[in-house]
Amino acid sequence: MSGKTTSLIAAGSMLTLALFGAASAMLAFYTPAESTMGDIQKIFYLHLPVAINTFNACLVAFIASVGYLWTRKMSWDDLAASAAKVAVVLCTIVLITGMIWGRGAWGKWWTWSPRLTFSLMLWLLYVVYLIIRNSVDSAQRRAVISAVYAIIAFLDVPLVYLSARLMPDIHPQSIELEPKMKLTLLVWFIPVTLAAAGMIVLRYMLARQQAAASEKAQEPTEKPAQIVPGSPMWHSLLTGTNTNTRAEAGK
Amino acid sequence: MNLQQLTIAAYVIGIGLILAYTGYTLVRLISTTRRNSH
């Protein structure tokens, strides 16, 4: 990693942290509580941006998988895997914050409504993607199987989005927001999107470094035999005797 | 737990997971890069 990259990562991390702090302060001191649900509705400002960024991460995994099948370059496979890992983390947050919100608003942690079920399915699909990646030894085979699987898994994303609109669901389609609430939501989108993009980039960089490390490990460690005057190889060349191995040369 | 505590718990878990995962990735990235450069 160059010095410029390190500074960029440090600056991005500090900016994201500062924005998370500012957004939290805004939520505590500026944003009004919703009239029917009260304080628990404030989970919405984290829940929605994380949900949208889960979809974005799944989209990146989908595009990278298509890119891999198209070009057969391992960098696309690394990007798909990185995005899928981040999608699992973000989807976990969506499910946990959603369950807590459900406990406060509906009085129960979980209900098998279409959107919740499809969201859980999305999480499971990408967890299985990671399990598949760990269970195939050959890098090329792993990349092909994972890419095909990621393309199929992405079909669940529109189902999650459309489920609450097309089917009867306890999950709200949209919430009427006051101007202050809209502004808070917009502000929360910034650090969450930065964090999601940052996680994918860092994961991708790690995957490339790991690929470089494994290539380095496969390089031959023994140096080729040098023909030095006086060495067994030198004598064999002069006398025409055969010294195929180091052991034979030493005899 | 009242509603306010539930809300705070949701934010602590959500932001905590993001920070923990980012930190874990960063540490692994730094150690792998160092190992590669030697």
Side-chain angles (χ1 to χ4, degrees):
Chain A
M1 242 182 342
S2 68
K4 200 179 169 186
T5 315
T6 313
S7 322
L8 208 65
I9 291 171
S13 306
M14 296 310 287
L15 178 70
T16 310
L17 273 176
L19 284 168
F20 266 125
S24 303
M26 193 177 181
L27 196 67
F29 304 113
Y30 173 80
T31 316
E34 207 250 355
S35 53
T36 47
M37 280 188 267
D39 277 333
I40 200 79
Q41 183 271 338
K42 286 190 175 181
I43 290 177
F44 174 69
Y45 306 106
L46 178 67
H47 183 75
L48 182 70
V50 175
I52 299 292
N53 277 291
T54 305
F55 297 160
N56 290 343
C58 294
L59 181 66
V60 173
F62 170 79
I63 293 169
S65 300
V66 173
Y68 173 75
L69 291 178
W70 195 274
T71 62
R72 301 284 163 154
K73 282 185 181 166
M74 291 309 281
S75 52
W76 283 112
D77 178 57
D78 286 335
L79 179 61
S82 308
K85 282 170 187 168
V86 173
V88 169
V89 173
L90 295 178
C91 198
T92 307
I93 297 170
V94 173
L95 291 173
I96 293 172
T97 54
M99 281 166 74
I100 295 173
W101 192 0
R103 179 74 182 88
W106 309 325
K108 47 189 170 187
W109 295 102
W110 185 262
T111 174
W112 292 101
S113 84
R115 179 164 279 183
L116 271 68
T117 309
F118 283 125
S119 301
L120 181 64
M121 235 174 85
L122 187 73
W123 182 81
L124 282 171
L125 280 167
Y126 282 88
V127 167
V128 170
Y129 172 88
L130 299 182
I131 294 170
I132 288 172
R133 288 193 71 85
N134 280 331
S135 57
V136 183
D137 284 334
S138 156
Q140 296 293 332
R141 267 192 74 199
R142 177 175 60 227
V144 173
I145 293 169
S146 307
V148 172
Y149 181 89
I151 290 167
I152 297 166
F154 182 73
L155 295 175
D156 191 46
V157 171
L159 286 177
V160 175
Y161 180 73
L162 294 170
S163 55
R165 291 165 196 276
L166 301 179
M167 290 180 242
D169 201 319
I170 191 170
H171 192 284
Q173 285 181 34
S174 60
I175 298 173
E176 282 298 314
L177 295 175
E178 290 176 24
K180 279 185 173 182
M181 292 172 166
K182 275 183 187 166
L183 184 63
T184 309
L185 182 62
L186 279 175
V187 168
W188 267 95
F189 260 104
I190 303 167
V192 172
T193 308
L194 272 176
M199 284 194 287
I200 295 175
V201 171
L202 289 177
R203 265 279 143 191
Y204 176 71
M205 287 170 71
L206 174 62
R208 297 311 299 158
Q209 285 291 335
Q210 285 171 332
S214 66
E215 274 169 26
K216 209 173 168 183
Q218 282 170 3
E219 279 173 11
T221 48
E222 282 189 15
K223 285 181 183 173
Q226 287 181 335
I227 303 171
V228 180
S231 70
M233 190 77 89
W234 176 262
H235 284 295
S236 74
L237 277 172
L238 285 179
T239 57
T241 52
N242 186 18
T243 53
N244 279 333
T245 63
R246 282 183 171 216
E248 281 169 353
K251 276 177 189 172
Chain B
M1 268 183 137
N2 63 31
L3 295 184
Q4 201 172 19
Q5 285 171 327
L6 276 175
T7 310
I8 293 168
Y11 274 89
V12 169
I13 294 169
I15 298 173
L17 265 173
I18 290 173
L19 295 182
Y21 190 71
T22 309
Y24 165 73
T25 308
L26 255 178
V27 168
R28 283 191 65 192
L29 176 63
I30 291 165
S31 66
T32 313
T33 309
R34 275 191 188 160
R35 213 178 313 134
N36 279 355
S37 62
H38 285 148

